[in-house]
């Protein structure tokens, strides 16, 4: 039995199938990605974030009428209750926007008297309300922390464009709005990644939707997951010049350091999302006349493919787009959390609908049957 268990053990659960799902297919060997059976290339090119969120939550693409109603519903649900505004005010300037988001999502449970009895459609409603509130929390908190006036969303703009508008206080250009929408679509879902699995684990104890998404934010924050986007920006800043890029990469490899934005647990070929994002990053850089980061990215990509056969992940090029749009570095992880919120909700609903407590085993490697020494005799 012990040997059998040992054989099944995989560090970091690599390659282990931990549950069934009808939401997303990641084909890591061929670099293919599908949401609810649709190819990511088709969705990223043709759909808004709201359209893809509808697909994830309702299992079908919306008609135009359904999409209009859903877009309005999300816009209506974005407003924050006064209790949450107070929480944000209390921590303004002290916490990072990612920590503020985690705190506010947790606090929202306190503002929902119904949370204990939430089932079925009520969970769907809470999920939609959270998806709607994520950007409001981030942009409200960000502007509060900077002492800037809060900007109300523009009903003529969609979810992703409104994020840019309410954070910067300036309406995005059509290209910026389209690029951020595409970025949200590409980030919204990715099967059993660490944060989504954590969301499902929380739900599997029949805990509530607020707790599940709070867990998701906490797990996403780490630099090996959603925090990578921020670490990539820091890396570009640290490298500094195009000339310094190859020496920087070679030195990092010699010192066994990881290059941020490179590699992926599941994709062993080019990340299909990075393939979609790269031309966007190139054209944005061209438009702003600042090609430095893009040129540095191409060098990192070339050297890592040559030296390690590792390729960029989606965040590598997103970081360049955020930079050219002038988004503050501390917003990079919250942007990922906002985009991922609908994937988390879809997984939470799927887990609620067919639940089994997630409780794996560990391979115990400590001692056994130690001699017990009473407290007064211990040295
Ligand atoms: N830079 C340099 N080497 C890397 C690397 C990177 N970004 N990613 C993986 N490697 C190397 C490891 O050093 C290791 O090499 P070795 O076998 O010679 O020791 C090998 O590839 C396997 O790495 P490992 O960390 O075990 O793979 P993983 O499946 O756990 O890695 C990530 C997946 C994403 C955690 C990893 O690629 C990484 O840390 N990337 C940087 C962070 C990042 O961009 N995260 C965002 C993910 S969307």
């Amino acid at each position: 039995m012990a040997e059998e268990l040992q054989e099944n053990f995989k560090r970091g659960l690599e390659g282990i199938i931990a549950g069934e799902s009808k939401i997303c297919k990641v084909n890591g060997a061929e670099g293919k990605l599908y949401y609810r059976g649709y190819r990511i290339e088709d969705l990223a090119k043709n759909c808004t974030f709201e359209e893809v969120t509808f697909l994830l939550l309702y299992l079908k693409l919306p008609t135009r009428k359904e999409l209009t109603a859903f877009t309005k519903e999300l816009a209506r649900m974005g407003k924050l209750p006064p209790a949450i505004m107070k929480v944000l005010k209390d921590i303004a300037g002290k916490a990072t926007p990612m920590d503020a988001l985690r705190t506010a999502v947790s606090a929202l449970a306190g503002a929902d008297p119904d949370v204990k009895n939430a089932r079925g459609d009520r969970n769907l409603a809470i999920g939609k309300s959270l998806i709607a509130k994520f950007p409001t929390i981030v942009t409200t908190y960000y502007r509060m922390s900077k002492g800037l006036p809060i900007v109300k969303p523009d009903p003529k703009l969609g979810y992703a464009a409104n994020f840019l508008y309410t954070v910067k206080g300036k309406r995005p250009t059509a290209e910026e709005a389209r690029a951020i929408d595409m970025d949200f679509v590409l980030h919204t879902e990715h099967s059993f990644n660490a944060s989504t699995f954590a969301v499902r684990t929380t739900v599997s104890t029949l805990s509530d939707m607020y707790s599940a998404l709070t867990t998701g934010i906490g797990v996403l924050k780490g630099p090996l997951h959603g925090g990578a986007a921020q670490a990539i920006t820091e890396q570009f800043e640290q490298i500094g010049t195009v000339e310094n890029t190859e020496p920087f990469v070679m030195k990092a490899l010699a010192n066994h350091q990881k290059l941020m934005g490179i590699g992926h647990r599941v994709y062993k070929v080019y990340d299909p999302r990075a393939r979609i994002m790269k031309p966007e990053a190139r054209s944005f850089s061209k438009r702003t006349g600042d090609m430095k980061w893009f040129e540095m990215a191409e060098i990192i990509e070339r050297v890592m493919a040559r030296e390690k056969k590792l390729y960029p992940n989606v965040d590598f090029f997103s970081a360049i787009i955020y930079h050219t749009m002038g988004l503050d570095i501390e917003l990079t992880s919250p942007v990922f959390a906002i985009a991922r919120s609908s994937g988390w909700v879809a997984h939470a609903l799927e887990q609620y609908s067919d639940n089994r407590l997630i409780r794996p085993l560990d391979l115990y490697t400590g001692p056994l049957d130690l001699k017990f020494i009473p407290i007064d005799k211990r040295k």
Side-chain angles (χ1 to χ4, degrees), residues 223-225 228 253 257-265 268 304 308 310 313 315:
L224 297 187
H225 191 7
L253 291 180
Q257 279 165 2
K258 291 253 176 92
L259 268 298
M260 289 295 130
I262 302 292
H264 195 275
R265 170 59 67 80
K268 297 307 166 199
M304 288 303 284
K308 300 283 287 183
L310 288 172
N313 55 55
D315 297 323

Side-chain angles (χ1 to χ4, degrees), residues 134-211:
F134 265 47
T136 326
I137 294 168
V138 172
T139 60
T140 302
Y141 178 76
Y142 176 77
R143 290 185 71 88
M144 260 181 194
S145 295
K146 303 274 172 208
L148 297 167
I150 311 301
V151 177
K152 273 199 182 153
D154 177 347
K156 287 197 214 83
L157 297 176
Y159 182 97
N162 252 322
F163 166 74
L164 280 184
Y165 174 51
T166 53
V167 82
K168 293 171 75 179
K170 194 171 145 247
R171 276 178 187 74
T173 62
E175 290 82 17
E176 284 173 334
R178 184 63 209 126
I180 198 80
D181 222 337
M182 188 188 271
D183 182 75
F184 279 19
V185 167
L186 292 176
H187 277 92
T188 195
E189 172 47 22
H190 215 223
S191 77
F192 278 34
N193 57 86
S195 58
T196 301
F197 187 59
V199 164
R200 292 190 75 123
T201 304
T202 305
V203 167
S204 86
T205 69
L206 296 184
S207 182
D208 60 274
M209 186 70 89
Y210 299 96
S211 303

Side-chain angles (χ1 to χ4, degrees), residues 10 25 41 57 99 111 145 160 234 279 296 318 323 355 379:
K10 291 281 182 311
K25 168 75 185 161
E41 290 78 6
L57 302 188
D99 288 335
S145 295
E234 284 160 357
M296 283 155 69
S318 292
H323 170 68
N355 186 53
K379 290 187 194 131

